Amino acid sequence: MDVNKINGHSYYIKGGTNTGVYVFKDKSALVIDAGHTVGRGRRICSSLEENGMRARYVYTTHEHFDHYEAFQGIKQTAPHVELIAHEMAKPYIENLYIGKAYLVSSAPSKFQGKRADESVKYFNVDISVKDKLIIKDREFEIHHVPGHCMGQAVIITDDRVCYLGDSVFDRTIMAKYDMPFLYSIDYQRESLDKIKNLDFDYGLISHSKNVYNKAEIDKIIDENVEVLDRYESDIIEIVKTPITREDILQQLLVINEIECNFETYHFNYSTMGAFLTSLADRDMIDYIYDQGKIFYYGI
């Protein structure tokens, strides 16, 4: 695993979830989005050591497990390491079952994986942050950008590098999944606009093969907005006739040729609910209950 320089003291390690690294003067490091699997955490520590660095802090941009599970491996290798997250992400990280239950609106199913039925804490957030993080003599900007989830918060280093987490979806992810996994459409739109107005030179998206400059990030944000606009337009057309949430989703999945497993279906089902909430809040749809079903229709 190579530790690749972005700018100044800001680096990254490639992976299914890219991992950021900020190195302090004493060669201790702030790891950003450690990623998936305990083994990755151990490998991160080995890579840092090979480069004369050592993990001391881990910041996770949000509460989804693929961004911080590897903290376990880092903690096993370096027991003094502390976990840092935004205050809105903290309760989800410390209670993994909440996210699992949220996805299916019930006790989690075995179809969601090996941890679905376990309700104990796996992690403790040592430091929760709101709008800034100060470590040693360095200050990092923290910007809360909900939409993908409630606890999403990007971090900007003094090297003008922004670690974006999943606040922005790269083209490769949009091409693969098309329908983004979102908690709130309105929050996501506001957050994308907020990110465009942040001051940084380089951006690292968690699920991406590239580091982008600010102009390139702004272009990708525009493409993210276009995807939201397209799906909203499709839904508005579909609800011209009363239809259930499940049938709206079914039409979108078929039209866009999206294949699902149990988990990705519920990701898309969540996004579908987020679109309906947005349209309802803007008085663009209403619903009726008939014969044991909820039907949505445009107004």
Side-chain angles (χ1 to χ4, degrees), residues 74-92:
I74 295 175
K75 188 77 170 175
Q76 290 172 4
T77 306
H80 56 284
V81 169
E82 295 178 285
L83 181 60
I84 307 167
H86 191 270
E87 61 184 11
M88 292 294 291
K90 184 177 188 291
Y92 296 94

Side-chain angles (χ1 to χ4, degrees), residues 131-149:
D131 55 11
K132 65 181 177 181
L133 169 65
I134 299 175
I135 299 176
K136 302 181 187 295
D137 59 344
R138 299 294 187 223
E139 181 171 320
F140 302 84
E141 296 178 35
I142 305 293
H143 296 276
H144 185 218
V145 285
H148 177 55
C149 59

Side-chain angles (χ1 to χ4, degrees), residues 196-251:
K196 288 190 78 170
N197 288 290
L198 295 179
D199 188 19
F200 60 89
D201 293 332
Y202 304 97
L204 181 68
I205 300 171
S206 285
H207 306 294
S208 174
K209 295 181 180 180
N210 304 295
V211 176
Y212 295 105
N213 63 39
K214 182 57 163 59
E216 291 170 325
I217 291 294
D218 288 349
K219 175 60 177 173
I220 294 171
I221 287 174
D222 290 339
E223 293 169 5
N224 275 234
V225 173
E226 289 171 5
V227 170
L228 297 181
D229 290 344
R230 172 166 57 86
Y231 272 103
E232 182 174 291
S233 178
D234 287 345
I235 293 167
I236 289 171
E237 184 66 26
I238 290 170
V239 298
K240 286 182 177 178
T241 301
I243 186 171
T244 66
R245 174 174 169 178
E246 290 81 1
D247 287 340
I248 299 170
L249 177 58
Q250 186 264 344
Q251 287 197 34

Side-chain angles (χ1 to χ4, degrees), residues 132-295:
K132 65 181 177 181
L133 169 65
I134 299 175
I135 299 176
K136 302 181 187 295
D137 59 344
R138 299 294 187 223
E139 181 171 320
F140 302 84
E141 296 178 35
I142 305 293
H143 296 276
H144 185 218
V145 285
H148 177 55
C149 59
M150 279 306 297
Q152 179 83 58
V154 304
I155 181 169
I156 303 177
T157 73
D158 56 1
D159 299 313
R160 299 176 61 79
V161 175
C162 183
Y163 296 96
L164 290 154
D166 289 349
S167 60
V168 179
F169 298 104
D170 199 6
R171 298 179 180 98
T172 53
I173 291 297
M174 290 190 288
K176 182 177 181 180
Y177 296 107
D178 196 62
M179 186 184 292
F181 175 33
L182 296 172
Y183 169 81
S184 168
I185 304 302
D186 294 342
Y187 285 162
Q188 181 68 0
R189 289 185 183 277
E190 292 170 5
S191 292
L192 291 173
D193 186 61
K194 180 177 181 178
I195 293 167
K196 288 190 78 170
N197 288 290
L198 295 179
D199 188 19
F200 60 89
D201 293 332
Y202 304 97
L204 181 68
I205 300 171
S206 285
H207 306 294
S208 174
K209 295 181 180 180
N210 304 295
V211 176
Y212 295 105
N213 63 39
K214 182 57 163 59
E216 291 170 325
I217 291 294
D218 288 349
K219 175 60 177 173
I220 294 171
I221 287 174
D222 290 339
E223 293 169 5
N224 275 234
V225 173
E226 289 171 5
V227 170
L228 297 181
D229 290 344
R230 172 166 57 86
Y231 272 103
E232 182 174 291
S233 178
D234 287 345
I235 293 167
I236 289 171
E237 184 66 26
I238 290 170
V239 298
K240 286 182 177 178
T241 301
I243 186 171
T244 66
R245 174 174 169 178
E246 290 81 1
D247 287 340
I248 299 170
L249 177 58
Q250 186 264 344
Q251 287 197 34
L252 292 175
L253 294 177
V254 171
I255 290 169
N256 293 284
E257 299 181 339
I258 299 172
E259 295 294 328
C260 296
N261 57 29
F262 184 89
E263 188 171 52
T264 56
Y265 177 85
H266 283 87
F267 288 163
N268 293 326
Y269 190 74
S270 173
T271 301
M272 183 70 256
F275 273 110
L276 292 174
T277 295
S278 177
L279 293 171
D281 287 347
R282 288 179 282 152
D283 296 321
M284 296 178 68
I285 62 170
D286 206 339
Y287 77 93
I288 56 173
Y289 174 82
D290 184 50
Q291 297 294 310
K293 294 182 179 181
I294 294 288
F295 293 85

